[in-house]
Every structure is written in structure tokens, then in C-alpha cells.
């Protein structure tokens, strides 16, 4: 079994760190393949709202089980 099959295509810790530190510009959305949402984050980064949402999403990613994360972000 390869790592991609066992853990999914994306790494949960990487996504969480991107969301916590670069969530204001949508880096985690681009990493997870949601380019459209990433662009929305970029367009509104100056408001600070994507930064708050990114922090919340980072915490959500960290509290998810590996199985939940893998199923949600294949």
C-alpha cells in the first residue's frame, strides 16, 4: 500500500499549518485543490475575514481524524 492510498492525496498537518499561517491569502485552499475558494480568499484578504476563517479551518483540520480528513479531501 502506497502512502497516497493509505493517507490520501493531501497531508492534514500541512493543510492545517497553511491555514493557520497563510490562511488569510487562501494557501490551504489552493493546496487542497479548491482554486476557486483560494481566489476568493485572495480577493478579500485585505478585510481580515479570510484570516479569521483560515485560523478556524486550521483548528478544524487539526481536530479531524486522519480518516475523516482523507475521506473529505481525496
Amino acid at each position: 500500500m502506497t502512502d497516497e492510498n493509505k493517507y490520501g492525496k493531501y497531508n492534514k498537518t500541512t493543510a492545517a499549518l497553511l491555514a493557520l499561517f497563510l490562511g488569510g491569502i487562501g494557501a490551504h485552499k489552493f493546496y487542497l485543490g479548491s482554486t476557486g475558494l483560494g481566489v476568493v480568499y485572495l480577493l478579500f484578504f485585505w478585510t481580515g475575514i479570510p484570516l479569521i476563517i483560515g485560523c478556524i479551518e486550521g483548528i478544524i483540520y487539526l481536530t479531524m481524524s486522519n480518516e475523516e480528513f482523507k475521506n473529505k479531501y481525496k
Side-chain angles (χ1 to χ4, degrees):
M1 182 176 269
T2 65
D3 286 342
E4 185 174 326
N5 291 334
K6 185 176 179 184
Y7 300 110
K9 185 176 179 182
Y10 305 106
N11 185 296
K12 178 177 89 164
T13 306
T14 303
L17 290 174
L18 285 171
L20 290 171
F21 294 111
L22 297 173
I25 59 170
H28 61 297
K29 294 297 184 184
F30 288 110
Y31 174 72
L32 293 172
S34 298
T35 307
L37 281 174
V39 170
V40 171
Y41 276 57
L42 275 174
L43 290 173
F44 291 99
F45 80 94
W46 58 274
T47 65
I49 295 170
L51 180 62
I52 295 167
I53 296 171
C55 288
I56 293 169
E57 288 177 330
I59 293 168
I60 290 171
Y61 297 156
L62 288 173
T63 58
M64 276 182 169
S65 71
N66 287 333
E67 191 66 30
E68 286 176 314
F69 186 84
K70 183 181 92 172
N71 289 334
K72 188 169 183 177
Y73 302 104
K74 290 183 178 182

